[in-house]
Amino acid sequence: MGIVRSINESNPADFILLGFSDYPQLRKVLFAVIIILYLLTVLENITIILVSHLEPKLHTPMYFFLSPLSFLDLYFTSSVIPQLLVNLWDPMKPITYVGCVVQLYVSLALGSTECVLLAVMSYDRYVVVCRPLHYTVSVHPRLCMSLASLAWLSRVITTLVQSTLTLQVLFCGHCQVDHFICEVPVLIKLACVDTTFNEADLFWASILFLIVPFSFILVSYGYIAKAVQRIKSANGRKKAFGTCSSHLMVAIIFYRIIIFMYLQPAKSRSKDQGKFVSLFYTVVTPMLNPLIYTLRHKDVKRALKKVLGKILGIHFT
């Protein structure tokens, strides 16, 4: 692994995440709001994971990816928010070199794995609507496990390469990161050497793991839209739409924000705008995803009521 060093130092430096230090009054409000949203995120995603494992009716390929998606959201937000809360409480409290490296690797690996996982889920939705008679043959548990493993493995390997290249960059004297998270684009800005290669690597990685999966999702839903139009009954169209709408909604929110963060030219947006978009992606999106899936899926809602009823001893109507 490359070692980040300050020009005048031989030991790894600590980093100061400036975050929202320019907004002292806003920090107090953000602290309260974020800690509430974080607790909701933890509760919601743990609930989805438990329900997915405890309810036999959700042990089908169609709902297989709910648990991995909740796992990604839970651990991604947990890799960022605790340090964010620390910085909101004390903006000048540094994050250690090791802490920054861990946050860089973990958040990048988990966040980008979700890019691939959402694309994999679109294939599942395509088969459900366009080839329903072949669903049990085309999408079986072994295939789901293989696709989920592929999503993890492909992005973890790429993350190791991309993060290591970033950590080999020689930083200029100060190590103040004008963000609330250690991530590749903001760390590259601290470099006092030519970062053309790093920027090119980031660009092509973004194309491969953002544009390609999102294009795959759009193509899948293009075929799904054509298939839905051929369904004659209104109930059939409504059922098909209900099957896909939650995934499509999550994918659009997720990719729109990520593409803005990584592919939109920095000159076309202010630094504060980038921070607030990243904040939405980090705090709000992981909290919304479980709500979107539970509210849009009757089977998930029924399973949730059933499991909670057993645990709490309450009968839900």
Side-chain angles (χ1 to χ4, degrees):
M1 179 186 297
I3 298 178
V4 180
R5 300 180 187 276
S6 177
I7 290 179
N8 298 320
E9 298 176 0
S10 58
N11 296 321
D14 292 341
F15 295 88
I16 295 178
L17 300 177
L18 297 178
F20 301 96
S21 58
D22 292 338
Y23 304 93
Q25 297 302 320
L26 181 61
R27 290 204 319 268
K28 298 177 182 178
V29 177
L30 284 176
F31 185 91
V33 171
I34 289 172
I35 198 169
I36 292 172
L37 292 179
Y38 177 57
L39 292 174
L40 287 174
T41 299
V42 172
L43 177 63
E44 291 171 3
N45 283 286
I46 288 179
T47 301
I48 291 294
I49 293 172
L50 289 176
V51 170
S52 297
H53 282 81
L54 295 176
E55 177 50 51
K57 291 184 179 179
L58 298 185
H59 296 173
T60 60
M62 183 174 181
Y63 298 108
F64 174 86
F65 296 104
L66 283 183
S67 184
L69 184 63
S70 291
F71 175 86
L72 288 172
D73 284 337
L74 177 62
Y75 279 87
F76 171 76
T77 193
S78 295
S79 71
V80 176
I81 289 184
Q83 183 62 43
L84 171 58
L85 292 173
V86 169
N87 287 112
L88 288 172
W89 189 264
D90 182 2
M92 300 309 293
K93 186 175 180 61
I95 179 175
T96 64
Y97 166 77
V98 174
C100 189
V101 170
V102 170
Q103 189 181 76
L104 176 66
Y105 275 94
V106 172
S107 62
L108 184 58
L110 294 176
S112 50
T113 299
E114 190 166 342
C115 295
V116 183
L117 188 63
L118 287 172
V120 169
M121 292 174 71
S122 71
Y123 170 73
D124 173 81
R125 300 304 186 267
Y126 162 78
V127 178
V128 167
V129 177
C130 299
R131 304 181 63 188
L133 298 179
H134 299 84
Y135 183 75
T136 55
V137 177
S138 300
V139 183
H140 48 81
R142 184 180 299 176
L143 176 63
C144 292
M145 185 66 70
S146 299
L147 291 174
S149 300
L150 179 63
W152 277 95
L153 183 62
S154 63
R155 199 47 187 138
V156 166
I157 292 174
T158 307
T159 297
L160 289 174
V161 174
Q162 193 173 1
S163 298
T164 302
L165 286 174
T166 302
L167 294 172
Q168 288 176 338
V169 171
L170 186 66
F171 287 179
C172 293
H174 69 86
C175 286
Q176 293 186 343
V177 181
D178 194 12
H179 212 288
F180 61 84
I181 180 176
C182 291
E183 62 175 6
V184 175
V186 294
L187 290 178
I188 288 177
K189 291 179 181 179
L190 295 180
C192 53
V193 293
D194 183 26
T195 59
T196 302
F197 179 79
N198 299 80
E199 292 172 0
D201 173 70
L202 178 62
F203 175 78
W204 289 111
S206 299
I207 294 293
L208 180 61
F209 288 97
L210 290 180
I211 301 302
V212 173
F214 189 50
S215 299
F216 181 81
I217 291 173
L218 293 179
V219 171
S220 298
Y221 276 98
Y223 283 107
I224 289 172
K226 291 182 180 179
V228 171
Q229 288 178 348
R230 292 195 295 266
I231 299 176
K232 295 182 180 180
S233 69
N235 288 334
R237 288 193 297 270
K238 184 178 179 180
K239 184 177 180 180
F241 178 76
T243 300
C244 304
S245 59
S246 56
H247 171 262
L248 182 60
M249 192 181 305
V250 168
I252 289 176
I253 294 173
F254 179 84
Y255 279 99
R256 177 66 186 91
I257 296 173
I258 294 296
I259 289 173
F260 175 89
M261 290 168 56
Y262 283 90
L263 288 178
Q264 183 170 336
K267 294 180 180 179
S268 64
R269 67 176 190 270
S270 67
K271 62 178 182 179
D272 290 337
Q273 186 182 20
K275 290 179 186 179
F276 283 104
V277 170
S278 297
L279 186 66
F280 185 90
Y281 161 68
T282 305
V283 179
V284 181
T285 302
M287 186 271 297
L288 287 179
N289 288 350
L291 293 178
I292 293 173
Y293 276 108
T294 54
L295 293 176
R296 303 294 301 187
H297 278 286
K298 293 181 179 179
D299 290 341
V300 178
K301 285 194 289 186
R302 280 195 292 264
L304 181 60
K305 291 179 180 179
K306 181 179 177 182
V307 172
L308 289 179
K310 289 181 179 179
I311 295 175
L312 302 176
I314 301 174
H315 177 70
F316 292 97
T317 57

